Amino acid sequence: QAHVVESGGGSVEAGGSLRLSCTASFNAYSSSYCIGWFRQAPGKEREGVALRHSGGRASYADSVKGRFTVSDNELNVSNNYAENTLDLHMDSLKPEDSGLYYCGVKLYVLFPECTPTTARYSEFDYWGQGTQVTVSS
């Protein structure tokens, strides 16, 4: 059974920083999976922000490059059960960064499909409940 939980959202002024945390545990079945952060603003589609492949490579949306970074810790992979934490460090925040931030996991995926431009949120297997980020100008 999978569990994905986000935390760390809040309100901040433009130029400020926030850190979001995602704790995900799931049956990996294979060693290849994608875990990452998406966000959704009111009236807009969910978009990829920062994703990391199980092979270790991370990728970022152009709109956040140089401002957002992810740090991760693969806690345990045994008997095909994976536990990960994926923190999203957000600096120099802008009002357009506001939205509901979700952490998602997709199984059986190669790195080329684990980038903000290629990953389709509708194909992700597990999601957290989301955490709100509000950046005021």
Side-chain angles (χ1 to χ4, degrees):
Q1 191 169 358
H3 293 278
V4 182
V5 179
E6 306 99 336
S7 63
S11 297
V12 66
E13 292 184 352
S17 299
L18 282 174
R19 185 183 75 177
L20 307 182
S21 294
C22 170
T23 300
S25 55
F26 50 92
N27 286 315
Y29 298 113
S30 77
S31 60
S32 181
Y33 58 85
C34 177
I35 180 171
W37 287 95
F38 291 72
R39 66 187 179 191
Q40 188 166 16
K44 294 188 177 182
E45 282 200 353
R46 194 171 298 188
E47 62 174 358
V49 176
L51 285 77
R52 185 188 71 80
H53 189 256
S54 51
R57 297 176 65 180
S59 59
Y60 301 87
D62 288 343
S63 60
V64 306
K65 282 181 181 176
R67 301 187 298 121
F68 291 12
T69 58
V70 292
S71 60
D72 65 281
N73 185 16
E74 190 171 65
L75 302 174
N76 179 44
V77 178
S78 64
N79 297 325
N80 291 328
Y81 192 78
E83 295 181 16
N84 282 266
T85 61
L86 187 70
D87 288 354
L88 180 65
H89 304 267
M90 305 184 294
D91 296 320
S92 302
L93 282 162
K94 304 175 181 180
E96 51 263 42
D97 294 318
S98 298
L100 198 55
Y101 281 67
Y102 295 91
C103 181
V105 177
K106 181 180 178 183
L107 306 179
Y108 302 108
V109 60
L110 300 177
F111 172 73
E113 299 171 348
C114 184
T115 73
T117 55
T118 58
R120 299 186 180 186
Y121 72 86
S122 59
E123 297 177 355
F124 273 59
D125 298 287
Y126 309 119
W127 290 101
Q129 78 288 350
T131 185
Q132 181 67 40
V133 171
T134 303
V135 184
S136 58
S137 56

